[in-house]
Each structure stands twice: as structure tokens, then as C-alpha cells.
């Protein structure tokens, strides 16, 4: 069993930065860890995914070059550093764990509680 607890997020002006954290408990060593987001009235969408070793990383085109996903396995924690934030990045952000490398949220087994990120213009 894996539990994911998120922290970070909040309100920031456009162009600003935020960092999200996702602390995992349980055995996550074989899992890919991902970030998703869901804006009001829209479907949940893929943001980024990272392998256990950190050697395999992918980003959605909309965040590439602005967001950085990382993980510290010693702390069992994953991060999403978000820079140059735009109003369209406003959403509830979720971390998730999957045993396969995938962009589809339906393939993720474990989910964090979600955290609101609001970017004002």
C-alpha cells in the first residue's frame, strides 16, 4: 500500500514560481511517479512523470522548459518546481504513482489529496 501526501501550492502572480512536494509512504521503489492537474470544468491532464532512478522523465508540451520534476528517494519525496507560471496553469495539482510509465491518469493506482495552484494575471 502506498500513501501520498502533498504540500505546497497556493496563490502566485504570473511569472512567479512555486514548488509542490509529494511525500510517499510504503514501497514506492518500483513505481513511476507523476503529476497531473485538473482545471475547473476540464479533464485531469498529464503534467510530468519520473522513473524510480530519475533517469526517465517526460513533460507535457505545455509545461516543458518551465516545470521540473524530481525525486529524492532517500526522503521518499517527489517535487514539481514550477517557474514562469501562467494563469492557464491554475488548477488542482495531483501527484500519483503507477507501476508502468504512462501518461494516462487511469493507469495510476495511488493518488495524493490534491493541492490548489492559482496564478493571477
Amino acid at each position: 500500500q502506498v500513501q501520498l501526501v502533498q504540500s505546497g501550492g497556493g496563490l502566485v502572480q504570473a511569472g512567479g514560481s512555486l514548488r509542490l512536494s509529494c511525500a510517499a509512504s510504503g514501497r514506492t521503489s518500483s513505481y513511476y511517479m507523476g503529476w497531473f492537474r485538473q482545471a475547473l470544468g476540464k479533464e485531469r491532464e498529464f503534467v510530468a512523470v519520473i522513473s524510480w532512478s530519475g533517469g526517465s522523465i517526460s513533460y507535457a508540451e505545455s509545461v516543458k522548459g518551465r516545470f521540473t520534476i524530481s525525486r529524492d528517494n532517500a526522503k521518499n519525496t517527489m517535487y514539481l518546481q514550477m517557474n514562469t507560471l501562467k494563469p492557464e496553469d491554475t488548477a488542482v495539482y495531483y501527484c500519483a504513482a503507477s507501476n508502468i510509465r504512462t501518461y494516462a491518469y487511469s493507469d495510476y493506482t495511488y493518488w495524493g489529496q490534491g493541492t490548489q495552484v492559482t496564478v493571477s494575471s
Side-chain angles (χ1 to χ4, degrees):
Q1 188 74 6
V2 173
Q3 289 188 321
L4 305 176
V5 178
Q6 297 178 224
S7 59
L11 173 65
V12 66
Q13 288 189 330
S17 298
L18 285 173
R19 190 175 82 157
L20 306 181
S21 298
C22 175
S25 61
R27 297 185 62 182
T28 59
S29 60
S30 61
Y31 285 91
Y32 288 86
M33 301 289 293
W35 288 99
F36 288 79
R37 66 186 182 186
Q38 188 164 18
L40 196 62
K42 295 188 177 181
E43 287 193 359
R44 193 167 298 192
E45 65 173 0
F46 167 78
V47 175
V49 62
I50 187 169
S51 63
W52 159 251
S53 67
S56 176
I57 291 175
S58 293
Y59 297 97
E61 284 298 320
S62 59
V63 307
K64 200 174 290 185
R66 300 188 298 121
F67 290 11
T68 302
I69 189 172
S70 63
R71 64 193 294 174
D72 183 339
N73 290 329
K75 296 181 179 179
N76 234 9
T77 302
M78 176 179 66
Y79 305 96
L80 185 68
Q81 177 66 42
M82 304 183 292
N83 298 328
T84 320
L85 282 160
K86 305 175 181 180
E88 51 263 43
D89 294 318
T90 296
V92 177
Y93 284 70
Y94 298 89
C95 65
S98 171
N99 57 9
I100 60 173
R101 185 177 184 274
T102 176
Y103 305 153
Y105 69 81
S106 58
D107 290 330
Y108 284 76
T109 306
Y110 303 103
W111 289 87
Q113 79 276 20
T115 185
Q116 178 70 45
V117 170
T118 303
V119 185
S120 63
S121 57

